[in-house]
Structure formats: C-alpha cells, structure tokens
Coordinates of all heavy atoms in Angstrom, one line a residue:
M1 N 0.8 -1.2 0.0 CA 0.0 0.0 0.0 C 0.9 1.2 0.0 O 1.9 1.3 0.7 CB -0.9 0.0 1.2 CG -2.0 1.0 1.2 SD -2.9 1.1 2.8 CE -1.8 2.2 3.6
A2 N 0.5 2.2 -0.8 CA 1.3 3.4 -0.9 C 1.1 4.3 0.3 O 0.0 4.3 0.9 CB 1.0 4.2 -2.1
S3 N 2.1 5.0 0.7 CA 2.0 6.0 1.8 C 1.1 7.2 1.3 O 1.2 7.6 0.2 CB 3.3 6.4 2.2 OG 3.3 7.5 3.1
I4 N 0.4 7.8 2.2 CA -0.4 9.0 1.9 C 0.5 10.2 2.1 O 0.0 11.3 1.8 CB -1.7 9.1 2.7 CG1 -1.3 9.3 4.2 CG2 -2.6 7.9 2.5 CD1 -2.5 9.6 5.0
V5 N 1.7 10.1 2.5 CA 2.5 11.2 2.8 C 3.3 11.6 1.6 O 3.9 10.8 0.9 CB 3.6 10.9 3.9 CG1 4.4 12.2 4.2 CG2 2.9 10.4 5.2
E6 N 3.2 12.9 1.2 CA 4.0 13.5 0.1 C 5.0 14.4 0.7 O 4.7 15.4 1.4 CB 3.1 14.3 -0.8 CG 3.9 14.9 -1.9 CD 3.0 15.8 -2.8 OE1 1.7 15.7 -2.7 OE2 3.5 16.7 -3.5
Y7 N 6.3 14.1 0.5 CA 7.4 14.9 1.0 C 7.7 16.0 -0.1 O 8.1 15.6 -1.2 CB 8.6 14.1 1.3 CG 8.4 13.2 2.5 CD1 8.0 11.8 2.3 CD2 8.5 13.6 3.8 CE1 7.8 11.0 3.4 CE2 8.2 12.8 4.9 CZ 7.9 11.5 4.7 OH 7.6 10.7 5.7
N8 N 7.5 17.2 0.3 CA 7.7 18.3 -0.7 C 8.1 19.5 0.0 O 7.4 20.1 0.9 CB 6.3 18.5 -1.4 CG 6.5 19.3 -2.7 OD1 7.3 20.3 -2.7 ND2 5.8 19.0 -3.7
E9 N 9.3 20.0 -0.4 CA 9.8 21.2 0.3 C 9.3 22.5 -0.3 O 9.4 23.6 0.3 CB 11.3 21.2 0.3 CG 11.9 21.2 -1.1 CD 13.5 21.0 -1.0 OE1 14.1 21.8 -0.4 OE2 14.0 20.0 -1.6
R10 N 8.6 22.4 -1.4 CA 8.1 23.6 -2.1 C 6.7 23.9 -1.7 O 6.2 25.0 -1.7 CB 8.2 23.5 -3.6 CG 9.6 23.8 -4.1 CD 9.7 24.0 -5.6 NE 9.3 22.7 -6.2 CZ 10.1 21.8 -6.6 NH1 11.4 21.9 -6.4 NH2 9.7 20.7 -7.2
K11 N 5.9 22.9 -1.2 CA 4.6 23.1 -0.8 C 4.5 23.3 0.7 O 5.3 22.8 1.5 CB 3.7 21.9 -1.1 CG 3.5 21.7 -2.6 CD 2.4 20.6 -2.8 CE 2.4 20.1 -4.3 NZ 1.5 18.9 -4.4
A12 N 3.5 24.0 1.2 CA 3.3 24.2 2.6 C 2.8 22.9 3.2 O 2.1 22.2 2.6 CB 2.3 25.3 2.8
A13 N 3.2 22.6 4.4 CA 2.8 21.4 5.1 C 1.3 21.4 5.2 O 0.7 22.5 5.5 CB 3.4 21.3 6.5
E14 N 0.7 20.3 5.0 CA -0.8 20.2 5.1 C -1.2 18.9 5.7 O -0.6 17.8 5.4 CB -1.3 20.3 3.6 CG -2.8 20.4 3.6 CD -3.4 20.3 2.2 OE1 -2.6 20.6 1.2 OE2 -4.5 19.9 2.0
N15 N -2.2 18.9 6.5 CA -2.8 17.7 7.1 C -4.2 17.5 6.6 O -5.1 18.1 7.1 CB -2.7 17.8 8.6 CG -3.4 16.6 9.3 OD1 -3.6 15.6 8.6 ND2 -3.6 16.7 10.5
A16 N -4.3 16.6 5.6 CA -5.6 16.2 5.1 C -5.8 14.7 5.4 O -6.4 14.0 4.6 CB -5.8 16.5 3.6
Y17 N -5.3 14.3 6.5 CA -5.5 12.9 6.9 C -7.0 12.5 6.9 O -7.7 13.3 7.4 CB -4.9 12.7 8.3 CG -5.0 11.3 8.8 CD1 -4.0 10.3 8.5 CD2 -6.1 10.9 9.6 CE1 -4.2 9.0 9.0 CE2 -6.2 9.6 10.0 CZ -5.2 8.6 9.7 OH -5.4 7.4 10.1
P18 N -7.4 11.4 6.5 CA -6.6 10.2 6.0 C -6.3 10.2 4.5 O -5.8 9.2 4.0 CB -7.4 9.0 6.4 CG -8.8 9.5 6.3 CD -8.8 11.0 6.6
E19 N -6.7 11.3 3.8 CA -6.5 11.3 2.3 C -5.0 11.6 1.9 O -4.5 11.0 1.1 CB -7.4 12.3 1.6 CG -8.8 11.7 1.3 CD -9.7 11.8 2.6 OE1 -9.6 12.8 3.3 OE2 -10.4 10.8 2.8
R20 N -4.5 12.6 2.6 CA -3.2 13.1 2.1 C -2.5 14.0 3.2 O -3.2 14.7 3.9 CB -3.5 14.0 0.9 CG -2.4 14.6 0.1 CD -2.9 15.2 -1.2 NE -4.0 16.1 -0.9 CZ -3.9 17.4 -0.9 NH1 -2.8 18.0 -1.2 NH2 -5.0 18.1 -0.7
I21 N -1.2 13.9 3.2 CA -0.4 14.7 4.1 C 0.7 15.2 3.3 O 1.4 14.5 2.7 CB 0.1 13.9 5.3 CG1 -1.1 13.5 6.2 CG2 1.0 14.7 6.2 CD1 -0.7 12.4 7.2
I22 N 1.0 16.5 3.4 CA 2.1 17.1 2.8 C 3.1 17.4 3.9 O 2.7 18.1 4.9 CB 1.8 18.4 2.0 CG1 0.9 17.9 0.8 CG2 3.1 19.0 1.4 CD1 0.4 19.1 0.0
S23 N 4.3 16.9 3.8 CA 5.3 17.0 4.9 C 6.6 17.6 4.4 O 6.9 17.4 3.2 CB 5.6 15.6 5.4 OG 6.8 15.6 6.2
P24 N 7.3 18.4 5.2 CA 8.7 18.8 4.8 C 9.5 17.5 4.6 O 9.3 16.5 5.3 CB 9.2 19.6 5.9 CG 8.0 19.8 6.8 CD 6.9 18.9 6.5
P25 N 10.5 17.5 3.8 CA 11.3 16.3 3.5 C 12.2 15.9 4.7 O 12.6 14.8 4.8 CB 12.1 16.7 2.3 CG 12.0 18.1 2.1 CD 10.8 18.6 2.8
Q26 N 12.6 16.9 5.5 CA 13.5 16.6 6.6 C 12.8 17.0 8.0 O 12.1 18.0 8.0 CB 14.8 17.4 6.5 CG 15.5 17.2 5.2 CD 16.1 15.8 5.0 OE1 16.3 15.2 6.0 NE2 16.3 15.4 3.8
P27 N 13.1 16.2 9.0 CA 12.7 16.6 10.4 C 13.5 17.8 10.9 O 14.6 18.1 10.4 CB 12.9 15.4 11.2 CG 14.0 14.6 10.5 CD 13.9 14.9 9.0
N28 N 12.9 18.6 11.8 CA 13.6 19.7 12.4 C 13.8 19.4 13.9 O 13.3 18.4 14.4 CB 12.8 21.0 12.2 CG 12.6 21.3 10.7 OD1 13.6 21.7 10.1 ND2 11.4 21.1 10.2
D29 N 14.4 20.4 14.6 CA 14.6 20.2 16.1 C 13.2 20.0 16.8 O 13.2 19.3 17.8 CB 15.3 21.4 16.6 CG 16.7 21.5 16.2 OD1 17.2 20.5 15.7 OD2 17.3 22.6 16.3
C30 N 12.2 20.7 16.3 CA 10.9 20.6 17.0 C 10.3 19.2 17.0 O 9.5 18.9 17.8 CB 9.9 21.6 16.3 SG 9.8 21.4 14.5
C31 N 10.7 18.4 16.0 CA 10.1 17.1 15.8 C 10.3 16.1 16.9 O 9.5 15.2 17.1 CB 10.5 16.5 14.5 SG 10.2 17.5 13.1
F32 N 11.4 16.3 17.7 CA 11.7 15.3 18.8 C 10.6 15.4 19.9 O 10.3 14.3 20.5 CB 13.1 15.6 19.4 CG 14.2 15.3 18.4 CD1 14.8 16.4 17.7 CD2 14.5 14.0 18.1 CE1 15.8 16.1 16.8 CE2 15.5 13.7 17.1 CZ 16.1 14.8 16.5
S33 N 10.0 16.5 20.1 CA 9.0 16.6 21.2 C 7.6 16.9 20.6 O 6.7 16.8 21.4 CB 9.4 17.7 22.2 OG 9.6 18.9 21.5
G34 N 7.5 17.2 19.3 CA 6.2 17.6 18.8 C 5.4 16.6 18.1 O 4.3 16.9 17.6
M35 N 5.9 15.3 18.0 CA 5.2 14.4 17.2 C 3.9 13.9 17.9 O 3.9 13.6 19.0 CB 6.1 13.1 16.9 CG 7.4 13.5 16.1 SD 7.1 14.2 14.5 CE 7.0 12.8 13.5
K36 N 2.9 13.8 17.1 CA 1.6 13.4 17.6 C 1.0 12.4 16.6 O 1.1 12.5 15.4 CB 0.7 14.7 17.6 CG -0.6 14.5 18.3 CD -1.3 15.9 18.4 CE -2.6 15.9 19.0 NZ -3.7 15.3 18.1
Q37 N 0.3 11.4 17.2 CA -0.3 10.3 16.4 C -1.5 10.8 15.7 O -2.3 11.6 16.2 CB -0.7 9.1 17.3 CG -1.3 8.0 16.5 CD -1.6 6.8 17.4 OE1 -0.9 6.6 18.4 NE2 -2.6 6.0 17.0
L38 N -1.6 10.4 14.4 CA -2.8 10.8 13.6 C -3.7 9.5 13.4 O -3.2 8.5 13.0 CB -2.4 11.2 12.2 CG -1.7 12.6 12.0 CD1 -1.3 12.7 10.6 CD2 -2.6 13.7 12.5
G39 N -4.9 9.6 13.8 CA -5.9 8.5 13.5 C -5.5 7.2 14.3 O -4.8 7.2 15.3
D40 N -6.0 6.1 13.7 CA -5.8 4.8 14.4 C -4.7 4.0 13.8 O -4.1 4.4 12.8 CB -7.1 4.0 14.2 CG -8.3 4.6 14.9 OD1 -8.1 5.2 16.0 OD2 -9.4 4.6 14.3
V41 N -4.4 2.9 14.5 CA -3.4 2.0 14.0 C -3.8 1.4 12.7 O -5.0 1.0 12.6 CB -3.1 0.9 15.0 CG1 -2.1 -0.1 14.5 CG2 -2.5 1.5 16.3
E42 N -3.0 1.4 11.7 CA -3.3 0.8 10.4 C -2.4 -0.4 10.1 O -1.4 -0.6 10.7 CB -3.2 1.9 9.3 CG -4.1 3.0 9.5 CD -4.1 4.0 8.4 OE1 -4.2 3.6 7.2 OE2 -4.0 5.2 8.6
E43 N -2.8 -1.1 9.0 CA -2.1 -2.4 8.7 C -1.6 -2.3 7.3 O -2.3 -1.9 6.4 CB -3.0 -3.5 8.8 CG -2.3 -4.9 8.9 CD -3.3 -6.0 9.2 OE1 -4.3 -5.8 9.9 OE2 -3.1 -7.1 8.6
D44 N -0.3 -2.6 7.0 CA 0.2 -2.6 5.7 C 1.0 -3.9 5.5 O 2.1 -4.1 6.1 CB 1.2 -1.4 5.5 CG 1.8 -1.4 4.1 OD1 1.4 -2.2 3.3 OD2 2.6 -0.5 3.9
G45 N 0.4 -4.9 4.8 CA 1.1 -6.2 4.7 C 1.2 -6.8 6.0 O 0.2 -7.1 6.7
N46 N 2.4 -7.1 6.5 CA 2.6 -7.8 7.8 C 2.8 -6.9 9.0 O 3.0 -7.3 10.1 CB 3.9 -8.6 7.7 CG 3.7 -9.8 6.7 OD1 2.6 -10.2 6.4 ND2 4.8 -10.3 6.1
W47 N 2.7 -5.6 8.7 CA 3.0 -4.6 9.8 C 1.9 -3.7 10.2 O 1.0 -3.3 9.4 CB 4.2 -3.8 9.3 CG 5.4 -4.6 9.2 CD1 5.9 -5.2 8.1 CD2 6.3 -4.9 10.3 NE1 7.0 -5.9 8.4 CE2 7.3 -5.7 9.7 CE3 6.4 -4.5 11.6 CZ2 8.4 -6.2 10.5 CZ3 7.5 -5.0 12.4 CH2 8.5 -5.8 11.8
L48 N 1.9 -3.4 11.5 CA 0.9 -2.4 12.0 C 1.7 -1.1 12.2 O 2.9 -1.1 12.6 CB 0.4 -2.8 13.4 CG -0.4 -4.1 13.5 CD1 -0.8 -4.4 14.9 CD2 -1.5 -4.1 12.5
Y49 N 1.1 0.0 11.8 CA 1.8 1.3 11.9 C 0.8 2.4 12.2 O -0.4 2.3 12.1 CB 2.5 1.6 10.6 CG 1.6 1.8 9.4 CD1 1.2 3.1 9.1 CD2 1.1 0.8 8.6 CE1 0.4 3.4 8.1 CE2 0.3 1.0 7.6 CZ -0.1 2.3 7.3 OH -0.9 2.6 6.3
V50 N 1.4 3.5 12.6 CA 0.6 4.8 12.8 C 1.3 5.9 12.0 O 2.5 5.8 11.9 CB 0.4 5.2 14.2 CG1 -0.5 4.2 15.0 CG2 1.7 5.3 15.0
Y51 N 0.6 6.9 11.6 CA 1.2 8.1 11.1 C 1.4 9.0 12.3 O 0.6 9.2 13.2 CB 0.3 8.8 10.1 CG 0.3 8.1 8.8 CD1 -0.8 7.4 8.4 CD2 1.3 8.3 7.9 CE1 -0.8 6.7 7.2 CE2 1.3 7.7 6.7 CZ 0.2 6.9 6.3 OH 0.2 6.3 5.1
K52 N 2.6 9.6 12.3 CA 2.9 10.6 13.4 C 3.4 11.9 12.7 O 4.2 11.9 11.8 CB 4.1 10.1 14.3 CG 3.6 9.0 15.2 CD 4.5 8.8 16.4 CE 3.9 7.9 17.4 NZ 4.9 7.6 18.5
R53 N 2.8 13.0 13.2 CA 3.0 14.3 12.5 C 3.4 15.3 13.6 O 2.9 15.3 14.7 CB 1.7 14.7 11.9 CG 1.8 16.0 11.1 CD 0.5 16.2 10.3 NE 0.7 17.3 9.3 CZ 0.5 18.5 9.5 NH1 0.0 18.9 10.7 NH2 0.7 19.4 8.6
C54 N 4.4 16.1 13.2 CA 4.9 17.1 14.1 C 3.9 18.3 14.2 O 3.5 18.8 13.1 CB 6.3 17.6 13.7 SG 6.9 19.0 14.7
R55 N 3.5 18.7 15.4 CA 2.6 19.8 15.5 C 3.1 21.1 15.1 O 2.4 22.0 14.8 CB 2.2 19.9 17.0 CG 1.0 19.0 17.4 CD 0.8 19.0 18.8 NE 1.8 18.2 19.5 CZ 1.7 17.8 20.8 NH1 0.6 18.0 21.5 NH2 2.7 17.1 21.3
V56 N 4.4 21.2 15.1 CA 5.1 22.5 14.8 C 5.3 22.7 13.3 O 4.8 23.6 12.7 CB 6.4 22.7 15.6 CG1 7.0 24.0 15.3 CG2 6.1 22.5 17.1
C57 N 6.0 21.8 12.7 CA 6.4 22.0 11.3 C 5.7 21.1 10.3 O 5.7 21.3 9.1 CB 7.9 21.8 11.1 SG 8.4 20.0 11.3
G58 N 4.9 20.1 10.8 CA 4.2 19.2 9.9 C 4.9 18.0 9.4 O 4.4 17.3 8.6
Y59 N 6.2 17.8 9.8 CA 6.9 16.7 9.4 C 6.2 15.4 9.8 O 5.8 15.2 11.0 CB 8.3 16.7 10.0 CG 9.2 15.5 9.6 CD1 9.6 15.4 8.3 CD2 9.4 14.5 10.5 CE1 10.4 14.3 7.9 CE2 10.2 13.4 10.1 CZ 10.7 13.3 8.8 OH 11.4 12.2 8.4
T60 N 6.0 14.4 8.9 CA 5.2 13.3 9.1 C 6.0 12.0 8.8 O 6.7 11.9 7.8 CB 3.9 13.3 8.3 OG1 3.2 14.5 8.6 CG2 3.0 12.1 8.5
V61 N 5.9 11.0 9.6 CA 6.5 9.7 9.3 C 5.5 8.6 9.6 O 4.5 8.7 10.3 CB 7.7 9.4 10.2 CG1 8.9 10.3 9.8 CG2 7.4 9.5 11.7
R62 N 5.7 7.4 8.9 CA 5.0 6.2 9.2 C 5.8 5.5 10.3 O 7.0 5.2 10.1 CB 4.8 5.3 8.0 CG 3.6 5.6 7.2 CD 3.1 4.4 6.5 NE 3.9 4.0 5.4 CZ 3.6 3.0 4.6 NH1 2.4 2.4 4.8 NH2 4.3 2.6 3.7
N63 N 5.2 5.3 11.4 CA 5.9 4.7 12.6 C 5.4 3.2 12.7 O 4.3 2.9 13.1 CB 5.5 5.5 13.8 CG 6.4 5.2 15.0 OD1 6.4 4.0 15.5 ND2 7.1 6.2 15.5
F64 N 6.3 2.3 12.3 CA 5.9 0.9 12.4 C 6.0 0.4 13.8 O 7.0 0.6 14.5 CB 6.8 0.0 11.5 CG 6.5 0.3 10.0 CD1 7.1 1.3 9.3 CD2 5.5 -0.4 9.4 CE1 6.8 1.6 8.0 CE2 5.2 -0.2 8.1 CZ 5.8 0.8 7.4
L65 N 5.0 -0.3 14.3 CA 4.9 -0.7 15.7 C 5.3 -2.2 15.9 O 6.1 -2.5 16.7 CB 3.4 -0.6 16.1 CG 2.8 0.8 15.9 CD1 1.3 0.8 16.2 CD2 3.5 1.8 16.8
M66 N 4.7 -3.1 15.2 CA 4.9 -4.5 15.4 C 4.3 -5.3 14.2 O 3.6 -4.7 13.4 CB 4.3 -5.0 16.7 CG 2.8 -4.7 16.7 SD 2.0 -5.2 18.2 CE 1.9 -7.0 17.9
M67 N 4.6 -6.6 14.1 CA 4.0 -7.4 13.1 C 2.5 -7.5 13.4 O 2.1 -7.6 14.6 CB 4.7 -8.7 13.0 CG 6.1 -8.7 12.4 SD 6.7 -10.3 12.1 CE 6.0 -10.7 10.5
S68 N 1.7 -7.6 12.4 CA 0.3 -7.8 12.6 C 0.0 -9.2 13.2 O 0.7 -10.1 13.0 CB -0.5 -7.6 11.3 OG -0.3 -8.7 10.5
P69 N -1.1 -9.3 14.0 CA -1.5 -10.6 14.6 C -1.6 -11.7 13.5 O -1.2 -12.8 13.7 CB -2.8 -10.3 15.2 CG -2.8 -8.9 15.5 CD -2.0 -8.3 14.4
K70 N -2.1 -11.3 12.3 CA -2.3 -12.2 11.2 C -0.9 -12.7 10.7 O -0.7 -13.9 10.5 CB -3.0 -11.5 10.1 CG -3.7 -12.4 9.1 CD -4.7 -11.6 8.2 CE -3.9 -10.6 7.4 NZ -4.8 -9.7 6.7
A71 N 0.0 -11.8 10.6 CA 1.4 -12.2 10.1 C 2.0 -13.1 11.1 O 2.7 -14.1 10.8 CB 2.2 -11.0 9.8
L72 N 1.8 -12.8 12.4 CA 2.5 -13.6 13.5 C 1.9 -15.0 13.5 O 2.6 -16.0 13.6 CB 2.2 -13.0 14.8 CG 3.1 -11.7 15.1 CD1 2.6 -11.1 16.4 CD2 4.5 -12.1 15.2
R73 N 0.6 -15.1 13.3 CA -0.1 -16.5 13.2 C 0.5 -17.3 12.0 O 0.8 -18.4 12.2 CB -1.6 -16.3 13.1 CG -2.3 -16.3 14.4 CD -3.8 -16.6 14.2 NE -4.4 -15.7 13.3 CZ -4.9 -14.5 13.6 NH1 -4.9 -14.1 14.8 NH2 -5.5 -13.8 12.7
K74 N 0.6 -16.6 10.9 CA 1.1 -17.3 9.7 C 2.5 -17.7 9.9 O 2.9 -18.8 9.6 CB 1.1 -16.3 8.5 CG 0.9 -17.0 7.2 CD 0.3 -16.1 6.1 CE 1.1 -14.8 5.9 NZ 0.5 -14.0 4.8
M75 N 3.4 -16.9 10.6 CA 4.7 -17.2 10.8 C 4.8 -18.4 11.8 O 5.6 -19.4 11.6 CB 5.5 -16.0 11.4 CG 6.9 -16.1 11.3 SD 7.6 -14.4 11.7 CE 7.4 -14.4 13.5
R76 N 4.0 -18.4 12.8 CA 4.0 -19.5 13.8 C 3.5 -20.8 13.1 O 4.1 -21.9 13.3 CB 3.0 -19.2 14.9 CG 3.5 -19.6 16.2 CD 3.0 -18.9 17.4 NE 1.6 -18.4 17.2 CZ 1.2 -17.2 17.7 NH1 2.0 -16.5 18.4 NH2 0.0 -16.8 17.5
G77 N 2.5 -20.7 12.2 CA 2.1 -21.9 11.5 C 3.2 -22.4 10.6 O 3.4 -23.6 10.6
G78 N 4.0 -21.5 10.0 CA 5.1 -22.0 9.2 C 6.1 -22.7 10.0 O 6.7 -23.7 9.5
I79 N 6.4 -22.2 11.2 CA 7.4 -22.8 12.0 C 6.9 -24.2 12.5 O 7.7 -25.2 12.5 CB 7.7 -22.0 13.3 CG1 8.4 -20.7 12.8 CG2 8.5 -22.7 14.3 CD1 8.5 -19.6 13.9
L80 N 5.6 -24.3 12.9 CA 5.1 -25.6 13.3 C 5.1 -26.7 12.2 O 5.5 -27.8 12.4 CB 3.7 -25.4 13.8 CG 3.6 -24.7 15.2 CD1 2.1 -24.5 15.5 CD2 4.3 -25.4 16.3
R81 N 4.8 -26.2 11.0 CA 4.8 -27.1 9.8 C 6.2 -27.6 9.6 O 6.4 -28.7 9.2 CB 4.2 -26.4 8.6 CG 2.7 -26.6 8.5 CD 2.3 -26.3 7.1 NE 2.6 -24.9 6.7 CZ 1.9 -23.8 7.0 NH1 0.9 -23.9 7.8 NH2 2.3 -22.7 6.6
G82 N 7.2 -26.7 9.8 CA 8.6 -27.0 9.6 C 9.1 -28.1 10.5 O 10.0 -28.8 10.2
L83 N 8.4 -28.3 11.7 CA 8.9 -29.3 12.7 C 8.4 -30.7 12.3 O 8.9 -31.7 12.8 CB 8.3 -28.9 14.1 CG 9.0 -27.7 14.7 CD1 8.3 -27.3 16.0 CD2 10.4 -27.9 14.9
N84 N 7.3 -30.8 11.5 CA 6.7 -32.1 11.2 C 7.5 -32.8 10.1 O 8.2 -32.2 9.3 CB 5.3 -31.9 10.7 CG 4.4 -31.5 11.9 OD1 4.7 -31.7 13.0 ND2 3.4 -30.7 11.6
Ligands
LIG101 ZN1 8.8 19.5 13.6

C-alpha cells in the first residue's frame, strides 16, 4: 500500500489525513518533542503502523509498531509445519 505522505519542500505542510499529508522532507529540532499520532493504527502487509506528525512543522512519518497478529499467526504456522 502506498503511503499517503507526500514529501515536498516547495509546498506548505498540510494535514488532510486520512487522504493526504504534505510534509517537509526533513525533520527539524521541533520534531523530537512535537510528534503526535494521527488517527488509528493501520495495517500494511505484515506490519501495524501509525502516522505521526509534528505539531510545529508538519513533518510526518509512518511509525511501524509491530507485526500484525495475522502475520504472526502465519509465521507461527510456518514454524510448526517445519517441525513435522
Ligand atoms: Zn517539527
């Protein structure tokens, strides 16, 4: 699945989550303390992630949290089959 974040230094930062986010291409000093989660946890392939956006400059990243429960089950199933 494609990211909804567009990194563009010529456009002003914009938060049109969940359709679109325009982010500066690089984080700034403010981003270390200003990041805030947008919306709910989402799933992309085997991973769960959230979008985090800086309240000050609008810098946005996809923050991967952990493998999805579905992917973990599939992996565990593969390991068990491998033992037989
Ligand atoms: Zn920032």
